[in-house]
């Protein structure tokens, strides 16, 4: 690794370290109440305690299970609708306007009605998450299905490809980049919404609830730690998807 | 002719849904309180349009979005531009920016409530923060994407830094900036609903919250319609602004 | 019974409809190509060469007159004709091997057989060892060779090439001309029709050079090339033939000029 890169990396550490120092000084001198800003060492100690106690893993597990279900339902539905609309202009004309109208409603706006219909249940939350994952997946898949250039369609005609093989060999592969980024966007959307669901549906269990409870008890250290964990998991999910994309789309790189 | 068919096809599903609801109502297929006839929804819609409750609440939410949007987007624009131009600045600030960006916006709510309380300050802060990150990111990428050759022209002409910014960098990254703005608009519109659902006594999100508590499904549906429509209209307005600006850019450069 | 790989074009006429106006693109085209012949089509840009080829491929369906392959009217694309497009049109998401095997996918030959066929054709175009490579990693000439292999894999009677070497640099192009001749000689009964802009290329490879003129596209002249192979580009006869063909374009240009006055 060359020296320049190391310097750049070290610079990246400067600001967080400075912030940490400021944080420490502020709390040391009690310029701000420890209720609002607990000292760094308290946060670290709480973090260790939480990890040792293990309840956090139960919450984590709960959130992840929920997000996985909602996400899978959402992207499956999005894939089906997106492909159908991409392949058939009749289906597009039939579903497109309604889809676009429904999409205008900010996702959090559906919460009250979901609560009314399904109550404060797991199902309500899963539907909510699925809906959030559904939009980007549908849009991206639809977009992807129209990526195939006319020139390649002619190749398919020259080789007398039938519809299923056209789909499998030509349309889906050319849609793949778009579909994969749809999956990635849906995933981070779903991850945000599971936290939202746990906060807004005000039910027990999950990281969002843990956070909310900490907020109610003004346990700032726990709020910090949950934010950290939630951010970290979001980052990991995104990163894993990117690696997957690079692997599956190897054909795009030229070297 | 083709357009008419497209229109008709688009209306098929909504009409089917309405007919379905009407059938359920006529034949009294359900006794659920939650079910409302299309007619009732329509009447509520008319009532709410005639009254001013809906518009006041929508207005309050729009104002909140506007203030948060302006603050957050301006900060993001500034921050993103500097980060895009200066590699030194980016090397110091980039990593922590990217780290904070990973946190899903809704996860900031508890922190802000503790720090800022649940008043107006909280809503504005929350909306501004949700606006800040995508705006900064898009601007930064737009600025970085300004092609080298453009910048070399500037260097050759020995235009000073500020001039370079206003005549080359900003105009060239305008498309990316507008992409950011559109994204930010829809995110902030979601954020205001969220903030009002959590803690508020006015605004469209609050109106929905109350309708839910009082089991007023019709009011709730009208609110959903209103929220969607308002978001849509704001989006169109922004698009018009974008057209205007990008056309200007084309003519001028 | 007509032989496999004979093409008969009789009184072909083709018009395009552009915003309500019908413009004739091809008129009065008569052409006979025998089995195993190598025919080049050469003519000014926009004279309808690609259109003519697309008609033979079957990608364009409305026309007047007759296009007969082995005595039968052409009706849409078919595996009896192989096509090499100017832009190679390899599918970027498939390896070279898969791309070349594209035409075999519908055939239930059993995997082993298909694999052997693909391998043999990769060898034919000199691409052994590149089976697992993606098109983005190939050079222009290699991609075009893979496209030729892909077109030949179904053992077509007729190979149709639209400026297959047009996008290559001069040296690679000369090399590819040699390769193309070798392929044509090895696949002795495959008829080949190639569009080109390069007079030398046409003479070097063809038994017949079809010269077209434009607006509407018609066949101006058909010149037989009877020089012994391999042909020597520097020989007197070669040069004379080249002059003769270039003359055709020269005259054409003068005609245009006199019209203008
Ligand atoms: N689909 C189409 N619709 C309308 N006009 C067309 C169409 N395809 C081709 N043409 C017209 O037909 C004429 C012949 O086109 P064609 O592509 O066959 O020319 P060409 O001889 O292959 O030219 P080049 O050497 O540049 O490739 C052109 O004037 C072109 O504009
Ligand atoms: Mg052409």
């Amino acid at each position: 690794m060359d020296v320049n890169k190391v310097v750049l990396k070290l610079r990246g550490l400067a600001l967080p370290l400075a912030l940490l120092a400021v944080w420490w000084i502020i709390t040391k001198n009690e310029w701000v109440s420890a209720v609002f800003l607990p000292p760094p060492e308290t946060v670290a100690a709480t973090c260790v305690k939480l990890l040792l106690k293990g309840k956090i893993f139960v919450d984590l597990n709960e959130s992840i299970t929920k997000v996985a279900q909602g996400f899978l339902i959402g992207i499956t539905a999005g894939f089906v609708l997106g492909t159908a609309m991409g392949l058939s202009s009749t289906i597009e004309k039939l579903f497109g306007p309604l889809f676009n109208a429904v999409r205008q409603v900010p996702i959090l706006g559906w919460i009250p009605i979901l609560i009314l219909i399904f109550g404060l249940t797991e199902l309500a939350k899963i539907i909510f998450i699925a809906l959030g994952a559904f939009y980007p997946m549908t849009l991206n898949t639809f977009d992807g299905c129209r990526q195939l250039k006319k020139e390649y369609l002619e190749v398919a005609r020259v080789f007398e490809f039938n519809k299923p093989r056209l789909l499998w060999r030509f349309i889906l592969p050319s849609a793949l980049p778009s579909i994969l980024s749809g999956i990635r966007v849906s995933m981070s959307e779903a991850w945000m919404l599971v936290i939202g669901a746990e906060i807004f549906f005000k039910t027990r269990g999950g990281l969002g609830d843990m956070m909310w409870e900490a907020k109610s008890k003004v346990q700032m250290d726990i709020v910090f730690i949950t934010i950290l964990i939630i951010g970290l998991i979001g980052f990991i999910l995104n990163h894993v998807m990117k690696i997957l994309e690079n692997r599956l789309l190897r054909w795009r790189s030229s070297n | 002719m083709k357009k008419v068919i497209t229109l008709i096809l688009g209306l098929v599903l909504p009409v089917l849904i309405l007919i379905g609801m009407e059938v359920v109502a006529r034949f009294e297929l359900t006794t659920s309180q939650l079910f409302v006839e299309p007619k009732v929804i329509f009447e509520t819609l008319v009532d709410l349009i005639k009254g001013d409750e809906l518009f006041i609440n929508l207005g309050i939410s729009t104002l909140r979005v506007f203030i948060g949007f302006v603050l957050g987007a301006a900060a993001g624009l500034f921050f993103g531009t500097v980060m895009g131009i200066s590699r030194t600045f980016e090397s110091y600030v980039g990593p922590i920016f990217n780290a904070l960006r990973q946190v899903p916006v809704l996860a900031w709510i508890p922190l802000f409530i503790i720090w800022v309380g649940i008043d107006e300050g909280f809503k504005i802060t929350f909306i501004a923060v949700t606006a800040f990150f995508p705006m900064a990111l898009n601007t930064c990428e737009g600025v970085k994407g300004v092609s080298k050759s453009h910048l070399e022209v500037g260097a050759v002409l020995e235009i000073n830094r500020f001039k370079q910014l206003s005549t080359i960098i900003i105009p060239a990254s305008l498309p990316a900036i507008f992409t950011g703005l559109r994204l930010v608009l829809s995110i902030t519109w979601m954020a205001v609903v969220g903030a009002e659902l959590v803690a508020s006594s006015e605004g469209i999100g609050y109106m929905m919250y109350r309708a839910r508590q009082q089991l007023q499904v019709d009011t709730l549906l009208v609110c959903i319609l209103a929220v969607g429509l308002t978001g849509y209209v704001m989006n169109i307005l922004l698009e018009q602004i974008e057209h205007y600006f990008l056309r200007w850019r084309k003519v001028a450069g | 019974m007509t032989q496999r790989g004979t093409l008969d074009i009789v009184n072909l006429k083709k018009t395009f409809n552009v915003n309500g106006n019908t413009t004739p693109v091809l008129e009065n085209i008569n052409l006979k190509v025998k089995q195993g012949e190598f025919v080049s089509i050469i003519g000014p840009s926009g004279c309808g060469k690609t259109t003519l080829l697309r008609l033979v491929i079957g990608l364009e369906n409305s026309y007047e007159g007759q296009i007969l392959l082995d005595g039968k009217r052409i009706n849409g694309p078919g595996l009896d004709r192989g096509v090499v497009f100017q832009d190679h049109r390899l599918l970027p998401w498939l390896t070279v091997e898969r791309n070349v095997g594209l035409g075999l996918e519908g055939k239930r030959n059993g995997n082993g057989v298909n694999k052997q066929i693909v391998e043999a054709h990769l060898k034919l175009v000199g691409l052994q060892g590149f089976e697992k490579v993606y098109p983005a990693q190939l050079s222009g000439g290699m991609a075009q060779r893979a496209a030729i292999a892909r077109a030949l894999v179904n053992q077509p009677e007729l190979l149709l090439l639209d400026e297959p070497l047009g996008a290559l640099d001069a040296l690679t192009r000369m090399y590819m001309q040699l390769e193309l001749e070798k392929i044509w000689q090895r696949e002795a009964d495959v008829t080949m029709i190639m569009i080109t802009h390069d007079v030398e290329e046409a003479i070097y490879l063809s038994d017949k050079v079809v010269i077209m003129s434009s607006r509407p596209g018609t066949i101006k002249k058909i010149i037989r090339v009877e020089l012994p192979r391999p042909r020597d580009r520097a020989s007197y006869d070669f040069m004379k033939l080249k002059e003769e063909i270039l003359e055709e374009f020269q005259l054409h240009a003068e005609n245009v000029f006199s019209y203008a006055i």
Side-chain angles (χ1 to χ4, degrees):
Chain A
M1 208 155 131
D2 78 71
V3 184
N4 261 329
K5 273 191 183 157
V6 176
V7 171
L8 286 182
K9 279 256 155 74
L10 287 178
R11 279 182 181 176
L13 282 175
L15 194 59
L17 286 176
L19 284 176
L20 196 66
V22 172
W23 178 10
W24 187 72
I25 291 169
I26 289 177
T27 50
K28 198 89 213 156
N29 296 317
E30 289 181 25
W31 290 336
V32 175
S33 153
V35 174
F36 292 113
L37 192 65
E41 58 267 25
T42 311
V43 176
T46 312
C47 187
V48 172
K49 234 191 310 181
L50 280 179
L51 291 177
L52 288 179
K53 224 168 85 191
K55 174 172 175 300
I56 194 165
F57 296 108
V58 178
D59 283 315
L60 186 60
N61 184 32
E62 185 148 338
S63 293
I64 287 181
T65 314
K66 215 163 3 202
V67 88
Q69 291 172 343
F71 167 72
L72 286 177
I73 295 171
I75 61 165
T76 310
F79 179 78
V80 172
L81 183 63
T83 316
M85 291 204 307
L87 297 183
S88 149
S89 70
T90 314
I91 295 182
E92 188 214 329
K93 284 172 191 154
L94 211 56
F95 286 87
L98 185 64
F99 175 79
N100 278 320
V102 171
R103 197 163 62 85
Q104 301 303 323
V105 179
I107 182 83
L108 299 182
W110 292 111
I111 292 177
I113 196 128
L114 282 173
I115 294 181
L116 265 190
I117 297 176
F118 299 101
L120 297 170
T121 57
E122 283 305 287
L123 181 64
K125 285 182 266 183
I126 288 172
I127 292 176
F128 174 64
I129 296 165
L131 190 65
F134 171 72
Y135 296 135
M137 188 63 191
T138 310
L139 286 175
N140 273 276
T141 309
F142 173 66
D143 224 43
C145 286
R146 322 188 111 202
Q147 292 293 315
L148 186 64
K149 292 205 197 90
K150 175 172 124 276
E151 284 79 12
Y152 288 121
L153 270 179
E154 286 183 357
V155 174
R157 283 181 65 194
V158 166
F159 285 112
E160 298 187 314
F161 270 35
N162 55 19
K163 277 269 159 66
R165 286 211 300 143
L166 178 68
L167 185 68
W168 177 243
R169 266 286 179 251
F170 285 76
I171 297 175
L172 286 182
S174 67
L176 194 61
S178 201
I179 291 174
L180 287 175
S181 71
I183 293 177
R184 186 160 46 81
V185 174
S186 295
M187 195 180 254
S188 61
E189 184 78 11
W191 183 240
M192 177 183 82
L193 292 182
V194 72
I195 306 302
E198 285 160 0
I199 292 177
F200 291 105
F201 288 76
K202 302 211 176 80
T203 49
R204 304 272 78 177
L207 286 174
D209 173 55
M210 183 173 169
M211 222 179 177
W212 199 249
E213 203 185 303
K215 182 228 86 179
S216 308
K217 296 179 185 162
V218 201
Q219 295 169 325
M220 203 58 200
D221 42 357
I222 297 184
V223 172
F224 274 144
I225 292 163
T226 41
I227 288 181
L228 185 74
I229 291 173
I230 290 167
L232 204 62
I233 291 173
F235 172 75
I236 292 171
L237 290 178
N238 204 24
H239 199 68
V240 167
M241 261 319 288
K242 279 216 168 126
I243 292 174
L244 196 70
E245 271 174 59
N246 282 337
R247 296 225 53 185
L248 286 173
L249 301 177
R250 249 174 325 171
W251 49 267
R252 281 208 298 195
S253 68
S254 56
N255 61 52
Chain B
M1 191 57 210
K2 249 192 172 166
K3 274 193 179 156
V4 176
I5 292 178
T6 308
L7 191 70
I8 291 175
L9 280 177
L11 286 173
V12 166
L13 282 178
V15 168
L16 276 181
I17 293 172
L18 280 180
I19 291 177
M21 288 170 78
E22 191 59 41
V23 167
V24 173
R26 284 282 162 83
F27 297 95
E28 293 173 13
L29 295 177
T30 173
T31 53
S32 166
Q33 272 200 67
L34 295 179
F35 180 76
V36 284
E37 303 175 48
K39 198 179 76 194
V40 175
I41 299 175
F42 186 72
E43 283 165 6
T44 311
L45 177 68
V46 173
D47 281 351
L48 284 173
I49 288 176
K50 278 188 186 152
D52 46 11
E53 188 197 2
L54 179 68
F55 291 109
I56 288 177
N57 282 319
L58 266 181
I60 290 169
S61 300
T62 313
L63 188 65
R64 282 173 181 154
V65 163
F66 183 74
I67 298 172
F69 180 90
V70 168
L71 291 177
L77 195 63
F78 177 74
F79 189 81
T81 310
V82 179
M83 205 157 70
I85 293 173
S86 158
R87 286 202 52 177
T88 317
F89 184 72
E90 198 202 357
S91 67
Y92 282 111
V93 178
I96 196 166
F97 170 76
N98 279 320
L100 290 176
R101 192 162 65 78
Q102 305 301 327
V103 178
V105 286
L106 296 179
W108 290 116
I109 293 180
L111 182 91
F112 290 154
I113 289 184
I114 293 183
W115 275 356
V116 194
I118 56 167
D119 297 333
E120 218 51 43
F122 156 68
K123 280 150 231 159
I124 303 292
T125 313
F126 177 58
I127 295 168
V129 168
T130 58
F132 173 76
F133 286 104
M135 194 65 222
L137 189 68
N138 270 274
T139 309
C140 176
E141 272 169 11
V143 169
K144 272 191 192 164
V146 176
S147 76
K148 270 246 172 62
S149 59
H150 281 183
L151 287 176
E152 273 165 9
V153 171
V156 168
L157 295 175
E158 294 193 348
I159 298 175
N160 69 34
R161 271 243 160 143
F162 183 73
K163 250 305 187 41
Q164 220 175 43
L165 192 67
S166 62
T167 55
I168 300 173
I169 296 174
I170 297 284
S173 40
L174 222 45
I177 291 175
F178 271 106
T179 309
L181 283 175
R182 257 185 289 141
L183 190 66
V184 164
L185 186 63
S186 73
I187 295 178
T188 48
W189 192 230
M190 177 197 78
V192 75
V193 173
E196 290 172 353
L197 280 175
V198 171
S200 187
S201 52
E202 51 197 357
I204 191 72
Y206 169 70
M207 195 172 162
M208 291 166 96
Y209 176 76
R210 209 190 43 203
R212 191 209 99 200
Q213 289 204 318
Q214 299 174 353
L215 299 179
Q216 295 168 334
V217 181
D218 45 349
T219 309
L220 196 46
L221 286 176
V222 173
C223 286
I224 288 177
L225 187 74
V227 173
L229 207 61
T230 311
Y232 181 68
V233 169
M234 291 199 294
N235 208 1
I236 287 190
L237 283 179
L238 187 61
E239 248 167 40
Q240 291 304 320
I241 298 175
E242 177 175 356
H243 272 305
Y244 176 77
F245 266 96
L246 292 185
R247 188 182 53 193
W248 167 83
R249 188 179 69 113
K250 237 183 199 170
V251 173
Chain C
M1 192 161 150
T2 26
Q3 245 178 327
R4 217 175 155 267
T6 38
L7 181 70
D8 233 323
I9 301 178
V10 188
N11 287 332
L12 173 68
K13 184 180 175 191
K14 168 83 188 163
T15 55
F16 272 123
N17 249 328
V18 185
N19 332 316
N21 297 331
T22 34
T23 37
V25 178
L26 293 171
E27 225 166 63
N28 198 22
I29 305 282
N30 285 289
L31 183 65
K32 264 190 181 3
V33 183
K34 284 190 297 211
Q35 184 195 33
E37 242 182 345
F38 197 117
V39 175
S40 290
I41 300 175
I42 197 164
S45 186
C47 71
K49 304 180 295 290
T50 298
T51 309
L52 178 58
L53 206 72
R54 287 170 63 84
L55 282 162
V56 178
I57 297 169
L59 288 172
E60 305 275 354
N61 286 322
S62 63
Y63 57 88
E64 290 166 41
Q66 304 247 42
I67 309 175
L68 306 172
L69 181 62
D70 308 337
K72 280 193 296 273
R73 204 180 149 91
I74 286 180
N75 222 336
L79 293 175
D80 48 2
R81 279 148 291 156
V83 183
V84 179
F85 296 95
Q86 173 165 4
D87 45 337
H88 54 74
R89 298 196 193 178
L90 297 173
L91 303 184
W93 46 86
L94 295 183
T95 56
V96 167
E97 184 179 51
R98 281 273 167 87
N99 261 296
V100 172
L102 215 52
L104 296 171
E105 282 187 5
K107 293 188 177 162
R108 305 232 165 272
N109 277 339
N111 239 346
V113 180
N114 280 353
K115 213 175 156 101
Q116 272 172 19
I117 298 176
V118 169
E119 247 162 49
H121 281 86
L122 281 173
K123 197 166 163 223
L124 179 72
V125 297
L127 279 180
Q128 314 99 296
F130 289 90
E131 288 86 357
K132 305 283 181 213
V133 167
Y134 286 101
Q137 296 160 305
L138 295 178
S139 71
M142 285 157 84
Q144 213 46 277
R145 275 188 274 168
I148 293 170
R150 181 176 73 176
L152 285 172
V153 111
N154 289 96
Q155 294 179 298
E157 315 167 15
L158 190 56
L159 184 66
L160 301 156
L161 310 105
D162 189 353
E163 296 186 45
L165 313 182
L168 306 179
D169 65 89
L171 275 179
T172 316
R173 193 185 315 171
M174 282 232 252
Y175 174 70
M176 286 292 291
Q177 286 163 7
L178 287 173
E179 293 285 305
L180 207 53
E181 185 179 33
K182 266 195 237 156
I183 292 169
W184 174 69
Q185 278 166 344
R186 250 177 280 171
E187 307 274 308
D189 49 358
V190 180
T191 313
M192 297 197 186
I193 300 179
M194 177 181 76
I195 293 175
T196 176
H197 269 131
D198 184 339
V199 177
E200 212 177 278
E201 181 172 293
I203 303 171
Y204 183 79
L205 286 169
S206 320
D207 300 316
K208 249 192 233 168
V209 180
V210 176
I211 300 171
M212 289 182 65
S213 62
S214 54
R215 242 164 283 160
T218 47
I219 293 182
K220 193 172 188 204
K221 197 166 182 183
I222 299 178
I223 293 179
R224 300 204 138 271
V225 185
E226 273 155 352
L227 306 174
R229 292 176 192 264
R231 289 169 181 163
D232 177 4
R233 294 168 207 261
S235 73
Y236 175 73
D237 292 333
F238 196 104
M239 301 289 255
K240 217 177 85 185
L241 211 53
K242 191 172 161 187
E243 282 295 305
E244 194 183 325
I245 294 173
L246 284 174
E247 195 90 333
E248 293 293 333
F249 289 109
Q250 203 72 26
L251 279 174
H252 187 79
E254 268 174 26
N255 276 345
V256 170
F257 191 62
S258 61
Y259 273 120
I261 295 168

